Amino acid sequence: MPKELSNRQKKVLFSIIENFIKEKKPISSSEILKKSNLSVSSATIRNDMQKLQHLDLIFQPHSSAGRIPTDKALRLYFEAIKESFSVKSKNIELPQDYKFYDINIMFDKFSKMLSELTNSLVILELPDSRYIYITRAVVSDLTNDFYQITLMTNLGLSITRTVEKFGFPSPKELEKILNNGLIGKSMHEIINIIKSKSIEKEQDIRLMNLYNLVFLLAEEFFRNKFIVNGLAKVISSGYFNTKEIVFLSKVVEEDKMKVQLLSLKPFDIEIKTTIGNEFGINELRNFIMIETSYCHNANPLGKVALLTFKYSNYKRIYTILNEYTSRLSKIISKNL
């Protein structure tokens, strides 16, 4: 918070922000006086608003209009909420039916709930490959010509592929080879091992087939990097123009754009924001992105980001994101 601001001026600023978030229209000094608990004259409020405008915290769209908070003001407001927030406080009632056992379903329902509760586009990054460890490989006879192979992990994520039997040993022998070679290794480690091998130069066809099989199975974990929900929710809000919606649709479709957005802030559990012009992208100037990470014990596994209208109810969004991400982390740490 700027040192130049008195406590009264901070209250005036936050009153402008909260009223604009609620009403979505510029607010005048007389309205601030009427809606706030400040026992001062209208002239004092006007002087405070002039100072706030001088500090680039509010602006006037035209000479006869009220004031609108800037991105700089929204940043101060969010940081004040963050500073005063208590994990133990119960600012709103949250649904409690949050028990899932299939982690793939859990991630999808988690992102859908966040979207529904916050009117946001939710981007959930699937777990970091460094923390996904193989716990078991299962090989089954599917038909006379095909095996079904399943890799299971410590996080409950699994992948099943059907492969042709040609060039592979019996199911029991293949299962033993896979378990001996893969159990305890992370997906990140497995991919690096396979990439370091010169498979093309391998003379043993069985070994080459095995390398290719493991690479195929491991690569499947990285095919889908994100779960995204809530585009229709954002579109139906009516706050965004066609160019902004088209850009957001590209974010949903293209992983490269999602990676770029999520790389704007460090990978840790602190709740952070990017607001309006801070994106450096014209199509996102009316958005705020609020993000954090879910964890397995103390290890951040993946990011959770909410994209929504920058003049939204920050207190509610902060509470919901903090509470639900904490629940998700506890469920993962306790059960997996």
Side-chain angles (χ1 to χ4, degrees), residues 98-104 106-107 110 124-128 131-132 153-157 293-302 304 324-336:
Y98 193 71
K99 293 182 180 178
F100 308 112
Y101 301 100
D102 184 313
I103 199 167
N104 297 287
M106 181 167 68
F107 282 145
F110 171 80
L124 186 144
E125 182 182 35
L126 293 175
D128 190 313
Y131 302 115
I132 304 176
T153 73
N154 61 318
L155 296 182
L157 294 167
S293 299
Y294 61 93
C295 303
H296 180 249
N297 297 322
N299 299 314
L301 289 180
V304 183
Y324 269 80
T325 306
S326 176
R327 289 187 196 179
L328 178 64
S329 297
K330 285 177 182 176
I331 291 170
I332 291 173
S333 299
K334 182 178 179 181
N335 297 310
L336 301 176

Side-chain angles (χ1 to χ4, degrees), residues 160-334:
T160 299
R161 293 298 297 264
T162 300
V163 299
E164 196 172 3
K165 290 181 178 180
F166 180 78
F168 291 116
S170 68
K172 284 188 177 180
E173 187 180 349
L174 179 57
E175 184 173 291
K176 183 178 179 181
I177 292 170
L178 290 174
N179 280 314
N180 287 341
L182 299 180
I183 287 179
K185 288 186 173 63
S186 71
M187 298 307 301
H188 181 79
E189 185 181 1
I190 290 168
I191 286 288
N192 285 340
I193 290 171
I194 297 298
K195 285 182 175 179
S196 68
K197 302 288 184 183
S198 298
I199 297 176
E200 306 82 17
K201 298 178 182 178
E202 183 59 58
Q203 299 298 312
D204 189 332
I205 185 68
R206 293 171 301 177
L207 196 56
M208 186 171 73
N209 285 343
L210 189 60
Y211 282 151
N212 283 326
L213 170 62
V214 173
F215 185 79
L216 179 69
L217 289 166
E219 190 180 41
E220 189 67 23
F221 278 94
F222 305 100
R223 195 174 302 280
N224 297 313
K225 296 179 180 179
F226 301 96
I227 292 175
V228 182
N229 277 299
L231 180 61
K233 199 81 177 172
V234 173
I235 293 173
S236 65
S237 70
Y239 295 134
F240 306 106
N241 61 39
T242 302
K243 285 185 177 180
E244 291 166 338
I245 293 301
V246 169
F247 184 87
L248 204 61
S249 300
K250 289 181 180 178
V251 171
V252 171
E253 293 296 324
E254 298 178 20
D255 282 355
K256 183 180 178 181
M257 294 181 73
K258 290 190 277 288
V259 169
Q260 288 174 343
L261 281 178
L262 294 184
S263 66
L264 293 173
K265 302 292 182 184
F267 182 34
D268 56 44
I269 62 173
E270 183 184 352
I271 295 180
K272 306 178 187 68
T273 59
T274 306
I275 303 172
N277 292 321
E278 294 175 0
F279 286 103
I281 300 170
N282 191 48
E283 290 84 355
L284 292 178
R285 69 188 184 281
N286 287 318
F287 285 86
I288 181 173
M289 183 169 72
I290 306 175
E291 63 180 90
T292 185
S293 299
Y294 61 93
C295 303
H296 180 249
N297 297 322
N299 299 314
L301 289 180
K303 284 192 173 186
V304 183
L306 312 182
L307 269 167
T308 191
F309 187 45
K310 68 180 180 182
Y311 297 111
S312 294
N313 188 333
Y314 290 2
K315 291 178 182 178
R316 177 179 172 82
I317 293 174
Y318 190 102
T319 305
I320 290 170
L321 180 59
N322 185 77
E323 175 69 15
Y324 269 80
T325 306
S326 176
R327 289 187 196 179
L328 178 64
S329 297
K330 285 177 182 176
I331 291 170
I332 291 173
S333 299
K334 182 178 179 181

